[in-house]
């Protein structure tokens, strides 16, 4: 290939790479913005879980380890309800598997949209990320989930969940029984609104 052809190829490739980077940044910000309204449900739900964990003796170091390594709110609530001293590990593991088995169906429904997605981002899949990623792909009439959109959405929810469950451990004992404020219904209500939008 001559130097002139190489220069021409580089000149054509540069704007395409720049456009791709701009699209990725735009999709990532779009995912972040889409996640912000969900925080209305995430924050109170996370504080409630943190407060329950504090009653079970969890510390502000143990809580982010639980929520950061597991990232499955429903099963974390189940674990808190079943927590004893010493904990019945096998029972908690079995119930966690049962509650999270819905992810098998969610993953199956997303499989044809995720052929280009590496495995690591799937760690961040939760009900809301699944619902909104599916809705976005259908809205764009695409057979692929936008990975930047997915990650903007997922990381916003993930970091908020870990942060506010940890805050719940710290402030929960000061507030007392946060369930009396009705926080336990907030996340469920947000998810029902999401499902209604998908319908």
């Amino acid at each position: 290939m001559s130097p002139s052809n190489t220069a021409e190829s580089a000149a054509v490739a540069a704007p395409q790479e720049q456009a791709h980077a701009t699209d990725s940044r735009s999709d990532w910000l779009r995912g972040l913005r889409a996640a912000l309204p969900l925080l209305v449900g995430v924050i109170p739900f996370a504080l409630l879980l943190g407060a329950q964990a504090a009653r079970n003796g969890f510390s502000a170091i143990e809580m982010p380890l639980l929520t950061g390594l597991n990232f499955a709110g429903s099963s974390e609530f189940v674990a808190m309800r079943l927590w004893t001293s010493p904990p019945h590990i096998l029972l908690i593991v079995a119930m966690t598997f049962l509650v999270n088995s819905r992810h098998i169906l969610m993953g199956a429904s997303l499989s044809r949209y995720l052929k280009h997605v590496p495995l690591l981002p799937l760690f961040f899949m939760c009900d809301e990320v699944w619902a909104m990623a599916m809705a976005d792909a259908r809205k764009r009439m695409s057979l692929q989930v936008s990975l930047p959109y997915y990650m903007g959405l997922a990381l916003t929810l993930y970091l908020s969940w870990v942060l506010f469950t940890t805050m719940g451990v710290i402030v929960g004992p000061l507030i007392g029984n946060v369930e009396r404020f009705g926080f336990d219904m907030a996340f469920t209500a947000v998810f029902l609104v999401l499902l209604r939008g998908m319908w």
Side-chain angles (χ1 to χ4, degrees):
M1 184 179 284
S2 69
S4 62
N5 287 344
T6 304
E8 285 173 15
S9 299
V12 169
Q16 290 175 344
E17 288 174 7
Q18 189 173 4
H20 180 70
T22 302
D23 287 347
S24 294
R25 193 177 315 112
S26 172
D27 273 4
W28 193 89
L29 289 172
R30 200 164 54 81
L32 189 151
R33 283 193 299 270
L36 293 179
L38 296 177
L39 297 184
V40 173
V42 168
I43 292 171
F45 214 49
L47 291 171
L48 176 63
L49 178 64
Q52 288 183 353
R55 287 202 301 267
N56 286 336
F58 277 71
S59 71
I61 294 172
E62 293 164 333
M63 196 64 204
L65 286 174
L66 170 67
T67 55
L69 295 173
N70 184 44
F71 191 47
S74 302
S75 63
E76 289 160 4
F77 272 97
V78 168
M80 288 303 110
R81 296 280 185 189
L82 296 174
W83 197 264
T84 56
S85 186
H88 299 290
I89 299 296
L90 289 178
L91 175 62
I92 292 172
V93 168
M95 291 305 296
T96 297
F97 176 79
L98 184 63
V99 169
N100 286 341
S101 61
R102 69 190 187 284
H103 285 252
I104 298 169
L105 297 176
M106 288 161 54
S109 69
L110 265 178
S111 61
R112 67 188 181 120
Y113 294 90
L114 292 173
K115 290 177 182 171
H116 65 299
V117 174
L119 284 177
L120 181 60
L122 297 181
F123 170 79
F124 300 101
M125 187 180 75
C126 61
D127 298 343
E128 293 70 29
V129 172
W130 166 79
M132 294 187 74
M134 289 283 285
D136 180 67
R138 288 175 180 164
K139 182 180 175 183
R140 292 182 297 106
M141 292 183 288
S142 172
L143 288 178
Q144 289 189 342
V145 165
S146 165
L147 184 57
Y149 173 84
Y150 177 97
M151 291 308 296
L153 179 65
L155 285 176
T156 303
L157 294 178
Y158 175 79
L159 293 173
S160 299
W161 183 251
V162 173
L163 173 66
F164 286 100
T165 51
T166 305
M167 282 183 61
V169 169
I170 297 166
V171 303
L174 305 175
I175 298 172
N177 183 10
V178 291
E179 292 179 20
R180 70 180 189 271
F181 299 118
F183 284 177
D184 50 334
M185 273 304 296
F187 211 42
T188 307
V190 169
F191 188 59
L192 289 174
V193 170
L194 281 174
L195 286 180
R196 177 66 183 91
M198 288 181 71
W199 193 272

